């Protein structure tokens, strides 16, 4: 039995200058692209500059904002699953990532989210735990496995991840793939509403 590959969106959540997130995100996307059970779309928050000031409920945003929002909305909507790459800033995740989530509420519903975090000694674990609460609120399901990169500064200079990261990435992708197939089948059988 052949199954249509999952559409996986890898979201790079940091917009900070000199960030490591793009290197981590592209490394992880490469891990996913080596699989034959998923296709990968890399979404970088830097490429989707949505304002922090949101319109009131029922109001439409300005046309240029609506264009950016709609383009990103289409990509998020078409994804069967997500991997979110986040640094830890001040014991949490960056505002740029929260802003993308807040502008798009329905696109996450009934889909799995895998987390890849990085930071100092804690490896971004506090950011990941905060994201679990946020994704639960938008009806997404974070999976148990994750990748946590502790003090990864310089590790991606040659394109290689820290030791053991490839193994952790495979475990995370296996779990996201299982949940992605299960939730896609459930959404097909009965559309999810909230």
């Amino acid at each position: 039995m052949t199954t249509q590959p999952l559409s996986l969106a890898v979201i790079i959540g940091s917009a900070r200058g000199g960030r490591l997130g793009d290197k981590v995100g592209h490394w992880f996307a490469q891990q996913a692209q080596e699989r034959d059970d998923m296709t990968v779309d890399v979404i970088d928050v830097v490429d989707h500059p949505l304002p922090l000031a949101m319109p009131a409920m029922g109001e439409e945003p300005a046309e240029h904002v609506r264009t950016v929002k709609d383009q990103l909305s289409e990509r998020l909507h078409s994804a069967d699953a997500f991997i979110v790459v986040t640094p830890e800033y001040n014991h949490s995740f960056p505002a740029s990532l929260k802003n993308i989530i807040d502008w798009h509420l329905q696109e996450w519903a009934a889909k799995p989210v895998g987390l890849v975090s990085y930071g100092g000694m804690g490896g971004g674990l506090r950011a990941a735990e905060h994201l679990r609460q946020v994704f639960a609120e938008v009806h997404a399901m974070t999976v148990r496995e994750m990748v946590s990169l502790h003090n990864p500064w310089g590790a991606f200079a040659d394109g290689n991840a820290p030791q053991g990261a490839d193994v952790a990435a495979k475990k995370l992708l296996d779990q996201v793939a299982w949940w992605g197939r299960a939730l896609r089948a459930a959404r097909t059988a009965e559309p999810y509403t909230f």
Side-chain angles (χ1 to χ4, degrees):
M1 178 175 110
T2 59
T3 303
Q4 178 185 359
L6 288 172
S7 174
L8 177 71
V10 176
I11 300 170
I12 300 170
S14 172
R16 179 177 282 184
R19 67 195 174 144
L20 184 62
D22 56 338
K23 292 177 183 63
V24 176
H26 288 290
W27 160 77
F28 195 90
Q30 181 61 41
Q31 302 297 305
Q33 287 166 343
E34 292 174 3
R35 300 171 64 107
D36 60 6
D37 61 345
M38 53 184 62
T39 61
V40 180
D41 180 19
V42 177
I43 298 173
D44 192 332
V45 297
V46 169
D47 298 331
H48 303 281
L50 289 166
L52 292 177
M54 298 176 81
M57 292 296 218
E59 288 183 12
E60 285 291 324
E63 185 175 344
H64 70 283
V65 173
R66 189 171 60 247
T67 299
V68 172
K69 180 189 181 303
D70 290 349
Q71 289 171 349
L72 181 54
S73 178
E74 184 177 322
R75 291 172 73 184
L76 295 174
H77 180 74
S78 68
D80 294 310
F82 304 99
I83 293 292
V84 175
V85 178
T86 184
E88 183 176 311
Y89 296 159
N90 301 318
H91 287 210
S92 195
F93 56 92
S96 53
L97 179 54
K98 182 67 162 67
N99 199 39
I100 293 291
I101 297 167
D102 288 348
W103 273 94
H104 302 89
L105 299 178
Q106 297 179 352
E107 291 83 351
W108 314 101
K111 297 178 183 178
V113 178
L115 301 172
V116 176
S117 67
Y118 62 94
M121 293 296 290
L125 292 174
R126 291 172 288 219
E129 290 307 309
H130 290 172
L131 277 170
R132 291 184 191 281
Q133 297 172 46
V134 172
F135 279 116
E137 184 62 22
V138 294
H139 298 251
M141 195 218 84
T142 56
V143 301
R144 172 64 182 86
E145 292 295 331
M146 67 175 291
V147 175
S148 174
L149 304 169
H150 303 257
N151 293 315
W153 328 121
F156 291 89
D158 57 2
N160 294 321
Q163 184 176 0
D166 292 351
V167 173
K170 182 185 181 322
K171 287 182 181 179
L172 175 56
L173 285 166
D174 287 346
Q175 201 167 77
V176 166
W178 190 94
W179 280 106
R181 287 188 300 271
L183 290 174
R184 182 173 64 187
R187 290 191 315 274
T188 300
E190 181 178 347
Y192 184 83
T193 58
F194 62 94

